[in-house]
Structure formats: structure tokens, C-alpha cells
Amino acid sequence: MGKITDLLFKDIHVEDGLSACINCGTCTAICPAAGFYHYSPREIVDTVQSKNELKIIDLLKSEQIWYCGECMSCKTRCPRNNTPGMIIIALRSLSQELGYFTESEKGRQQLAVKRIIGEAILNKGYCVHIDQIETGLHPEQGPVWDWFKENVEQVHERLGTAYKKNTAGVMRNIAQEDLDELDKIFEVTGAHDRFRKIEEFSKQKARDLRIEFDKGIDEYFLHVYQSNCGKHY
Amino acid sequence: MIEEGKEKVWKDYQKEIAEDNYFYARSCIRQNFFPGSEVAFLRILKELGKNLFDDPRHTTCTGIAYHSDIVPFDTTMTVVARHFALMTEAGLKNFVPSCITSFGIYTEVLELWRHHPEIEQKIKENLLKATGRTFEKPENLAHSSDIIYKFRNEIANKSKYRLVNKETGKPLRVVEHIGCHYSKMFPEKGVGGAEYPLVLTGMVQAWGGEVIDYPERRQCCGFGFRQYIVQANRGYSVACSKKKFESMAPYKPDLILTNCPGCPYFLDRWQYVVSEMEGVTYGENNGGIPVFTYEELAGMVLGYNPWDLGLQLHQVPVEPVLDKIGVQYKKEDKYKGVNGKDLGRPESPSCLKI
Ligand code: SF4
Ligand code: SF4
């Protein structure tokens, strides 16, 4: 087995998620991503089980691995109890570890995901937080969200939540010592390391593409967050 | 499928749900978008005389980060272990997450550890090193919708309203939408399994309504984690929901009921987006199909004030359902704060009737 294939097969998601795919295509038939993108979980699983190093490297650099929605609908129906969606998790992990994710438009989006979700978790203790959601980047929220945001304290008070309070309850402030524990877990288990890699590989790519790279919602963030070549379908 | 067959499937998938003494794990998405729902859940359990511990030290489980692939699985498993430690420190054994993504993760982690004790051991060491904490695994894991399902008849007995059209006397027609991670990964961990989940159907039937079967009943709402988080991908998300709306609309549902915190958000907001983009609406009289969380629906049948439940935060108005049932409520209080303080009102969408 090649070196990269070897790394892929060490991932527990591949170990537990793949046993002799029979190429029946049931996963592709049920897959919501296959109904929308040019995507087939059957093909992905077949490429992985071929253990062909060059094809696997291509896959790690491809757009395809980023199309899956991780809904795991494929798990219920696979006659072999495989989970293509879990194999996708392993492929995406490795693609980021090796820096291959910046080779595809969809892969480059990981920088935006890291800065939105990753930073909300470490700064707020929530994976998303109302204070950070605006209809500018989220027009789908609709006018009701603008009204909610304009009156956020009064509405929360009306609903009897703990918004911005240091008690138990809905939308309470998470205490600094709890955020510190999360931070420590991130250090010990490799999440900080992955965050650093996402930032570093993205920075290199931004240099190649001559796009300004800083932090937060910079030019590169907006580029990866909004670009769509229209050829994914 | 004939009724007898369905009942057999349901009997095969009867999970154990603890009776009392719960450790509650809040949901990031539900707290942000449906804050009244978690308030209502605690109120309902209190009225049922149940003991629940709400720990302020609990944080995100990192589920959205795990399924958008920015954190390693070890990180998520160790955060899960920390939550088990908080439960253990509280002297509790019954773990109740409010989020379906979390529920899926807790289920996945417990199953993985059952087959791979060496991974559990590694995570124990991670947690000890990072936080100094130790933990016991829960004896019972149930989603908060499982708890409401378990007490659906008690709720029916206390209810002020039934899911019945007061004019026609007919049951309301309900679309039930189960979050994918509730039972698609581990069918035996969800009430009724993956094909015929009973968790929401049981509530609807106990409260007088009727469940609609339709072709795209098991289609995902389209969250897709990174497919919604990143603006360039949101076409995927709205297309998935649209597929569902088009499939359910001919059956004329009165409402959609959900158990995942994300699904009601998408099924509500994407109706607004489709109406803005294409001028298409799926409900009666150019309105949408109102979408409810199970806490909101339970609160409504129990006679809670709809504006205490946070129903004013939906983009698709819920009043058609309140009016059909005959819920007594004050229209003019919808956008008021505490003590009747006037908070103005949201602007109207260009097409969707509110
Ligand atoms: S459903 Fe299972 S066996 Fe069939 S193609 Fe997909 S992974 Fe392979
Ligand atoms: S998890 Fe991914 S591959 Fe599986 S059905 Fe969902 S979108 Fe398709």
C-alpha cells in the first residue's frame, strides 16, 4: 500500500465504514448530494477500496469529496453496512492534513468554515452565536431576524432565557474556565494543530492567487466563501 | 405499507427511555434560533414532576465542527467525554441531548467505544490530561424528543387543545420530519427505527392529529453542514428543502413537525427564500406551511401563550394553525416585550403572506 493510502486506512472511519463495497449504487440512489452535484458516493468508495495511491491522491485534491452533506442517509441502506459519509470524513481530514484541500474551490472553503465555526466555539462555547449572525452574510434569515437582532435583549427577556447572563439556561454566557477547558482539549487532541494547518495552507494559496490574506472576514475569506464556478452540477 | 406491518416494525424498534432524573445537554442551534423551545421543554418536564439538571458548564459538543470537518474526531470525542464527566459529577446517569447532531455523535461515540475499548481508554487519558476530569458513560441516552414521546399521553391528558380543526372537526394533517442523525445511522437507537420513526408520529396521534405519508418524507432538509455554512454552497441546502416542499404540498399539510433543531430553521427559512426567489409559496392563500419544534407543539396543546413559546421568531407565520385549532391568543401581543412594551414589527417579505 502507498504511504497516503496507508494513512487513509488508519482512520477509524475507513476501518469501520468500509467492508467490500459491491458497487450496487444504492448509496448514490439515496444520496441528496448526488441529486444536486456531479457526485457519486459509490465511485468514491470504489476508488478508496481500489487502494490505488495515485487515484486516492487525485481524490484528496478533488472537488468531489466536498460535495457530501454528511447526512448519513447512505448508512441506512447500504447492504454491506458501509458508510460512504464516514469515509468522506476520513478523506477530508487527510486532505487538510496534507494541504491538498486548497487545490479545489470547494476544499478552499475550509478556511471560512474554520473562521466561522471554529472561532465561535473557542470564543463563545457555542458553534454558532446570535451576536455573530447578520442578514448581510445570511440574507435567508429574513426580516424576522433583523427584528429579533434589533430587540435581542427584550425578546430574550420576554422568553425567559439566560441570554448574556452568568447562570444556567438558554444562551447563557459560557464561563471563561469552561472555554479554557475546551481550548485545552483542542490543544491535546489536535484541533489547534488542524486549525493552524488550515490557516497556513490557505495563506500559501492566497499568495499564489494574489488575494489579500489576513484574519477574520478578509479578502481571501470572502473569496472562498462566495466563489462558485458554476461547474459543480 | 399496511398498518399491521408498520406496527411490527415499530415493535422491533422500541428503545428504552429513562423515566426521570435527566442530565440536559443544550443545543447551540436550538438556543440561537428557537430559544423558547428549550425554555418550554424545562417547563413541561417540571409540570410532569420530572427532575432535570441544567448545567451551565456544558458547552457545544463541537458537532457542527466535526461534520464540517474542521476538528479531528478525537477532539469531538473528548468534548463528549467532558459532558459525560459533568453528568457523572452531578450524580446522574440519564443523558438527554436537545440536538440531533449531538444525539448522533453521542450514539456514534458510545457504539465505537463498545467495539473499540482502546479508543475509549485513549479519550479518557485525553480528558484527564486536558481537564483533570474522569467520567462514567451514561446508562441511558435519549433525545429530548424521545422524552416528550414517552410522556405524550400525560401531555394529552393535561392538554387544553387538540390537533383538530375546530370548524370541520377533522384532524390536522401533519408532515413529520425527523432529523437524519436521529436514526439513519443507528436505526435501533431511535423510536421506530429509520424507515418508520414513531417518535413524532406518536406525539401527533396522541394529540389528535393525522400524519401524512409522501414521497420525499425521508429526504434530508439540506443542512449538509458546510453546504449551508458557506454561502457559495447554499443552493444545495435550499434545493433539498424545495424537493420536500414540492413533494408534500399536494397533500395539503396544515403544519410540519420536526425533532432536529436545524430542520425547522431550514424548512421555515427556505420557504421564505423560495418565495423571494421564485414567487412560489406552499401553504394556503399565498402563505407558507408553518413549521414547529416538538416543544412548541407540546406547549401549544398544553395551552401556553404562543408568544411565550417564541413562535413570533418564525419567518412563516404560525397563526393559521392557531386559528384552525381555536387557540386563544392576542394577535397584538406578537411583537411585544415584557410588560407589553412595543418592539415595533419586522418588515414584510415581498411575497410570503404574513
Ligand atoms: S450502497 Fe454500499 S455496497 Fe452499494 S455501492 Fe454504496 S457503499 Fe458500495
Ligand atoms: S452522507 Fe454524504 S454520501 Fe451519504 S447520503 Fe449523505 S450526502 Fe450522500
PDB file of all heavy atoms in Angstrom, chain A residues 155-179:
ATOM      1  N   VAL A 155     -36.446  40.577  23.574  1.00  0.00           N
ATOM      2  CA  VAL A 155     -37.122  39.338  23.154  1.00  0.00           C
ATOM      3  C   VAL A 155     -36.676  38.181  24.057  1.00  0.00           C
ATOM      4  O   VAL A 155     -37.499  37.389  24.528  1.00  0.00           O
ATOM      5  CB  VAL A 155     -36.867  39.012  21.660  1.00  0.00           C
ATOM      6  CG1 VAL A 155     -37.477  37.657  21.286  1.00  0.00           C
ATOM      7  CG2 VAL A 155     -37.445  40.105  20.759  1.00  0.00           C
ATOM      8  N   HIS A 156     -35.374  38.117  24.324  1.00  0.00           N
ATOM      9  CA  HIS A 156     -34.895  37.050  25.208  1.00  0.00           C
ATOM     10  C   HIS A 156     -35.488  37.180  26.614  1.00  0.00           C
ATOM     11  O   HIS A 156     -35.852  36.181  27.242  1.00  0.00           O
ATOM     12  CB  HIS A 156     -33.365  37.043  25.262  1.00  0.00           C
ATOM     13  CG  HIS A 156     -32.753  36.147  24.214  1.00  0.00           C
ATOM     14  ND1 HIS A 156     -32.838  34.781  24.281  1.00  0.00           N
ATOM     15  CD2 HIS A 156     -32.081  36.422  23.073  1.00  0.00           C
ATOM     16  CE1 HIS A 156     -32.228  34.250  23.219  1.00  0.00           C
ATOM     17  NE2 HIS A 156     -31.763  35.226  22.469  1.00  0.00           N
ATOM     18  N   GLU A 157     -35.615  38.417  27.068  1.00  0.00           N
ATOM     19  CA  GLU A 157     -36.206  38.634  28.389  1.00  0.00           C
ATOM     20  C   GLU A 157     -37.660  38.143  28.402  1.00  0.00           C
ATOM     21  O   GLU A 157     -38.100  37.447  29.314  1.00  0.00           O
ATOM     22  CB  GLU A 157     -36.142  40.131  28.721  1.00  0.00           C
ATOM     23  CG  GLU A 157     -36.455  40.440  30.166  1.00  0.00           C
ATOM     24  CD  GLU A 157     -36.551  41.946  30.423  1.00  0.00           C
ATOM     25  OE1 GLU A 157     -36.292  42.744  29.502  1.00  0.00           O
ATOM     26  OE2 GLU A 157     -36.913  42.298  31.561  1.00  0.00           O
ATOM     27  N   ARG A 158     -38.363  38.456  27.315  1.00  0.00           N
ATOM     28  CA  ARG A 158     -39.766  38.039  27.161  1.00  0.00           C
ATOM     29  C   ARG A 158     -39.900  36.514  27.203  1.00  0.00           C
ATOM     30  O   ARG A 158     -40.852  35.969  27.737  1.00  0.00           O
ATOM     31  CB  ARG A 158     -40.258  38.590  25.811  1.00  0.00           C
ATOM     32  CG  ARG A 158     -41.541  38.012  25.258  1.00  0.00           C
ATOM     33  CD  ARG A 158     -42.698  38.866  25.727  1.00  0.00           C
ATOM     34  NE  ARG A 158     -43.971  38.482  25.138  1.00  0.00           N
ATOM     35  CZ  ARG A 158     -44.730  37.477  25.556  1.00  0.00           C
ATOM     36  NH1 ARG A 158     -44.324  36.719  26.540  1.00  0.00           N
ATOM     37  NH2 ARG A 158     -45.894  37.251  24.996  1.00  0.00           N
ATOM     38  N   LEU A 159     -38.883  35.832  26.615  1.00  0.00           N
ATOM     39  CA  LEU A 159     -38.956  34.366  26.545  1.00  0.00           C
ATOM     40  C   LEU A 159     -38.400  33.701  27.804  1.00  0.00           C
ATOM     41  O   LEU A 159     -38.470  32.478  27.943  1.00  0.00           O
ATOM     42  CB  LEU A 159     -38.182  33.862  25.311  1.00  0.00           C
ATOM     43  CG  LEU A 159     -38.722  34.332  23.944  1.00  0.00           C
ATOM     44  CD1 LEU A 159     -37.833  33.826  22.816  1.00  0.00           C
ATOM     45  CD2 LEU A 159     -40.154  33.846  23.725  1.00  0.00           C
ATOM     46  N   GLY A 160     -37.845  34.501  28.685  1.00  0.00           N
ATOM     47  CA  GLY A 160     -37.344  33.939  29.949  1.00  0.00           C
ATOM     48  C   GLY A 160     -36.064  33.137  29.791  1.00  0.00           C
ATOM     49  O   GLY A 160     -35.869  32.118  30.459  1.00  0.00           O
ATOM     50  N   THR A 161     -35.186  33.582  28.894  1.00  0.00           N
ATOM     51  CA  THR A 161     -33.917  32.867  28.702  1.00  0.00           C
ATOM     52  C   THR A 161     -32.832  33.459  29.610  1.00  0.00           C
ATOM     53  O   THR A 161     -33.091  34.379  30.389  1.00  0.00           O
ATOM     54  CB  THR A 161     -33.432  32.985  27.244  1.00  0.00           C
ATOM     55  OG1 THR A 161     -32.950  34.318  27.042  1.00  0.00           O
ATOM     56  CG2 THR A 161     -34.529  32.671  26.255  1.00  0.00           C
ATOM     57  N   ALA A 162     -31.619  32.947  29.449  1.00  0.00           N
ATOM     58  CA  ALA A 162     -30.488  33.443  30.245  1.00  0.00           C
ATOM     59  C   ALA A 162     -29.490  34.190  29.355  1.00  0.00           C
ATOM     60  O   ALA A 162     -28.300  34.250  29.654  1.00  0.00           O
ATOM     61  CB  ALA A 162     -29.809  32.274  30.944  1.00  0.00           C
ATOM     62  N   TYR A 163     -29.967  34.769  28.258  1.00  0.00           N
ATOM     63  CA  TYR A 163     -29.083  35.455  27.310  1.00  0.00           C
ATOM     64  C   TYR A 163     -28.168  36.458  28.022  1.00  0.00           C
ATOM     65  O   TYR A 163     -28.651  37.306  28.776  1.00  0.00           O
ATOM     66  CB  TYR A 163     -29.948  36.167  26.262  1.00  0.00           C
ATOM     67  CG  TYR A 163     -29.177  36.971  25.243  1.00  0.00           C
ATOM     68  CD1 TYR A 163     -28.323  36.361  24.340  1.00  0.00           C
ATOM     69  CD2 TYR A 163     -29.322  38.357  25.178  1.00  0.00           C
ATOM     70  CE1 TYR A 163     -27.624  37.100  23.402  1.00  0.00           C
ATOM     71  CE2 TYR A 163     -28.629  39.117  24.233  1.00  0.00           C
ATOM     72  CZ  TYR A 163     -27.775  38.478  23.357  1.00  0.00           C
ATOM     73  OH  TYR A 163     -27.083  39.224  22.435  1.00  0.00           O
ATOM     74  N   LYS A 164     -26.883  36.279  27.813  1.00  0.00           N
ATOM     75  CA  LYS A 164     -25.850  37.152  28.398  1.00  0.00           C
ATOM     76  C   LYS A 164     -25.792  37.101  29.923  1.00  0.00           C
ATOM     77  O   LYS A 164     -25.180  37.964  30.547  1.00  0.00           O
ATOM     78  CB  LYS A 164     -26.038  38.607  27.938  1.00  0.00           C
ATOM     79  CG  LYS A 164     -25.852  38.786  26.446  1.00  0.00           C
ATOM     80  CD  LYS A 164     -24.784  39.817  26.139  1.00  0.00           C
ATOM     81  CE  LYS A 164     -24.223  39.642  24.749  1.00  0.00           C
ATOM     82  NZ  LYS A 164     -24.371  40.797  23.893  1.00  0.00           N
ATOM     83  N   LYS A 165     -26.422  36.116  30.522  1.00  0.00           N
ATOM     84  CA  LYS A 165     -26.344  36.015  31.982  1.00  0.00           C
ATOM     85  C   LYS A 165     -25.349  34.935  32.365  1.00  0.00           C
ATOM     86  O   LYS A 165     -25.118  33.992  31.607  1.00  0.00           O
ATOM     87  CB  LYS A 165     -27.715  35.655  32.561  1.00  0.00           C
ATOM     88  CG  LYS A 165     -28.732  36.763  32.421  1.00  0.00           C
ATOM     89  CD  LYS A 165     -30.020  36.396  33.139  1.00  0.00           C
ATOM     90  CE  LYS A 165     -31.084  37.439  32.831  1.00  0.00           C
ATOM     91  NZ  LYS A 165     -32.424  36.870  32.814  1.00  0.00           N
ATOM     92  N   ASN A 166     -24.817  35.070  33.563  1.00  0.00           N
ATOM     93  CA  ASN A 166     -23.855  34.062  34.028  1.00  0.00           C
ATOM     94  C   ASN A 166     -24.553  33.027  34.905  1.00  0.00           C
ATOM     95  O   ASN A 166     -24.168  32.789  36.042  1.00  0.00           O
ATOM     96  CB  ASN A 166     -22.720  34.740  34.806  1.00  0.00           C
ATOM     97  CG  ASN A 166     -21.974  35.733  33.940  1.00  0.00           C
ATOM     98  OD1 ASN A 166     -21.751  35.479  32.756  1.00  0.00           O
ATOM     99  ND2 ASN A 166     -21.617  36.871  34.513  1.00  0.00           N
ATOM    100  N   THR A 167     -25.631  32.442  34.360  1.00  0.00           N
ATOM    101  CA  THR A 167     -26.364  31.413  35.104  1.00  0.00           C
ATOM    102  C   THR A 167     -26.586  30.233  34.169  1.00  0.00           C
ATOM    103  O   THR A 167     -26.100  30.257  33.053  1.00  0.00           O
ATOM    104  CB  THR A 167     -27.759  31.939  35.506  1.00  0.00           C
ATOM    105  OG1 THR A 167     -28.425  32.329  34.295  1.00  0.00           O
ATOM    106  CG2 THR A 167     -27.701  33.107  36.439  1.00  0.00           C
ATOM    107  N   ALA A 168     -27.343  29.247  34.604  1.00  0.00           N
ATOM    108  CA  ALA A 168     -27.750  28.185  33.674  1.00  0.00           C
ATOM    109  C   ALA A 168     -28.841  28.745  32.770  1.00  0.00           C
ATOM    110  O   ALA A 168     -29.426  29.779  33.082  1.00  0.00           O
ATOM    111  CB  ALA A 168     -28.273  26.981  34.466  1.00  0.00           C
ATOM    112  N   GLY A 169     -29.113  28.067  31.676  1.00  0.00           N
ATOM    113  CA  GLY A 169     -30.241  28.455  30.831  1.00  0.00           C
ATOM    114  C   GLY A 169     -29.856  28.749  29.400  1.00  0.00           C
ATOM    115  O   GLY A 169     -28.683  28.704  29.027  1.00  0.00           O
ATOM    116  N   VAL A 170     -30.899  29.067  28.608  1.00  0.00           N
ATOM    117  CA  VAL A 170     -30.738  29.286  27.166  1.00  0.00           C
ATOM    118  C   VAL A 170     -29.841  30.487  26.882  1.00  0.00           C
ATOM    119  O   VAL A 170     -30.069  31.570  27.414  1.00  0.00           O
ATOM    120  CB  VAL A 170     -32.125  29.517  26.519  1.00  0.00           C
ATOM    121  CG1 VAL A 170     -31.999  29.955  25.069  1.00  0.00           C
ATOM    122  CG2 VAL A 170     -32.986  28.266  26.618  1.00  0.00           C
ATOM    123  N   MET A 171     -28.835  30.320  26.042  1.00  0.00           N
ATOM    124  CA  MET A 171     -27.928  31.373  25.570  1.00  0.00           C
ATOM    125  C   MET A 171     -27.185  32.099  26.696  1.00  0.00           C
ATOM    126  O   MET A 171     -26.826  33.261  26.571  1.00  0.00           O
ATOM    127  CB  MET A 171     -28.676  32.413  24.699  1.00  0.00           C
ATOM    128  CG  MET A 171     -29.205  31.899  23.383  1.00  0.00           C
ATOM    129  SD  MET A 171     -28.021  31.067  22.296  1.00  0.00           S
ATOM    130  CE  MET A 171     -26.825  32.294  21.945  1.00  0.00           C
ATOM    131  N   ARG A 172     -26.956  31.355  27.800  1.00  0.00           N
ATOM    132  CA  ARG A 172     -26.149  31.925  28.880  1.00  0.00           C
ATOM    133  C   ARG A 172     -24.733  32.190  28.381  1.00  0.00           C
ATOM    134  O   ARG A 172     -24.290  31.608  27.392  1.00  0.00           O
ATOM    135  CB  ARG A 172     -26.080  30.930  30.050  1.00  0.00           C
ATOM    136  CG  ARG A 172     -25.212  29.726  29.703  1.00  0.00           C
ATOM    137  CD  ARG A 172     -25.673  28.441  30.308  1.00  0.00           C
ATOM    138  NE  ARG A 172     -24.935  27.311  29.762  1.00  0.00           N
ATOM    139  CZ  ARG A 172     -25.230  26.718  28.620  1.00  0.00           C
ATOM    140  NH1 ARG A 172     -26.248  27.142  27.901  1.00  0.00           N
ATOM    141  NH2 ARG A 172     -24.516  25.718  28.184  1.00  0.00           N
ATOM    142  N   ASN A 173     -24.015  33.055  29.094  1.00  0.00           N
ATOM    143  CA  ASN A 173     -22.581  33.197  28.834  1.00  0.00           C
ATOM    144  C   ASN A 173     -21.894  31.934  29.314  1.00  0.00           C
ATOM    145  O   ASN A 173     -22.162  31.462  30.416  1.00  0.00           O
ATOM    146  CB  ASN A 173     -22.004  34.362  29.633  1.00  0.00           C
ATOM    147  CG  ASN A 173     -22.386  35.702  29.043  1.00  0.00           C
ATOM    148  OD1 ASN A 173     -22.719  35.792  27.865  1.00  0.00           O
ATOM    149  ND2 ASN A 173     -22.328  36.730  29.866  1.00  0.00           N
ATOM    150  N   ILE A 174     -20.991  31.407  28.511  1.00  0.00           N
ATOM    151  CA  ILE A 174     -20.189  30.271  28.964  1.00  0.00           C
ATOM    152  C   ILE A 174     -18.981  30.855  29.699  1.00  0.00           C
ATOM    153  O   ILE A 174     -18.304  31.750  29.177  1.00  0.00           O
ATOM    154  CB  ILE A 174     -19.728  29.412  27.760  1.00  0.00           C
ATOM    155  CG1 ILE A 174     -20.910  29.025  26.883  1.00  0.00           C
ATOM    156  CG2 ILE A 174     -18.892  28.218  28.225  1.00  0.00           C
ATOM    157  CD1 ILE A 174     -21.622  27.752  27.136  1.00  0.00           C
ATOM    158  N   ALA A 175     -18.744  30.367  30.903  1.00  0.00           N
ATOM    159  CA  ALA A 175     -17.689  30.940  31.756  1.00  0.00           C
ATOM    160  C   ALA A 175     -16.301  30.721  31.154  1.00  0.00           C
ATOM    161  O   ALA A 175     -16.064  29.739  30.449  1.00  0.00           O
ATOM    162  CB  ALA A 175     -17.759  30.295  33.142  1.00  0.00           C
ATOM    163  N   GLN A 176     -15.386  31.644  31.470  1.00  0.00           N
ATOM    164  CA  GLN A 176     -14.029  31.563  30.928  1.00  0.00           C
ATOM    165  C   GLN A 176     -13.349  30.242  31.278  1.00  0.00           C
ATOM    166  O   GLN A 176     -12.663  29.653  30.451  1.00  0.00           O
ATOM    167  CB  GLN A 176     -13.197  32.759  31.434  1.00  0.00           C
ATOM    168  CG  GLN A 176     -11.854  32.903  30.736  1.00  0.00           C
ATOM    169  CD  GLN A 176     -11.966  33.029  29.202  1.00  0.00           C
ATOM    170  OE1 GLN A 176     -12.776  33.801  28.695  1.00  0.00           O
ATOM    171  NE2 GLN A 176     -11.192  32.239  28.467  1.00  0.00           N
ATOM    172  N   GLU A 177     -13.593  29.724  32.509  1.00  0.00           N
ATOM    173  CA  GLU A 177     -12.894  28.471  32.851  1.00  0.00           C
ATOM    174  C   GLU A 177     -13.376  27.292  32.000  1.00  0.00           C
ATOM    175  O   GLU A 177     -12.615  26.369  31.721  1.00  0.00           O
ATOM    176  CB  GLU A 177     -12.972  28.140  34.351  1.00  0.00           C
ATOM    177  CG  GLU A 177     -14.367  27.990  34.916  1.00  0.00           C
ATOM    178  CD  GLU A 177     -14.807  29.206  35.719  1.00  0.00           C
ATOM    179  OE1 GLU A 177     -14.425  30.343  35.343  1.00  0.00           O
ATOM    180  OE2 GLU A 177     -15.537  29.028  36.706  1.00  0.00           O
ATOM    181  N   ASP A 178     -14.639  27.362  31.546  1.00  0.00           N
ATOM    182  CA  ASP A 178     -15.132  26.298  30.667  1.00  0.00           C
ATOM    183  C   ASP A 178     -14.557  26.452  29.250  1.00  0.00           C
ATOM    184  O   ASP A 178     -14.214  25.467  28.601  1.00  0.00           O
ATOM    185  CB  ASP A 178     -16.667  26.292  30.641  1.00  0.00           C
ATOM    186  CG  ASP A 178     -17.234  26.009  32.027  1.00  0.00           C
ATOM    187  OD1 ASP A 178     -16.835  25.000  32.621  1.00  0.00           O
ATOM    188  OD2 ASP A 178     -18.029  26.817  32.527  1.00  0.00           O
ATOM    189  N   LEU A 179     -14.441  27.715  28.803  1.00  0.00           N
ATOM    190  CA  LEU A 179     -13.802  27.956  27.499  1.00  0.00           C
ATOM    191  C   LEU A 179     -12.339  27.502  27.554  1.00  0.00           C
ATOM    192  O   LEU A 179     -11.811  26.949  26.586  1.00  0.00           O
ATOM    193  CB  LEU A 179     -13.875  29.440  27.137  1.00  0.00           C
ATOM    194  CG  LEU A 179     -15.281  30.008  26.879  1.00  0.00           C
ATOM    195  CD1 LEU A 179     -15.215  31.516  26.614  1.00  0.00           C
ATOM    196  CD2 LEU A 179     -15.946  29.320  25.692  1.00  0.00           C
TER     197      LEU A 179
END
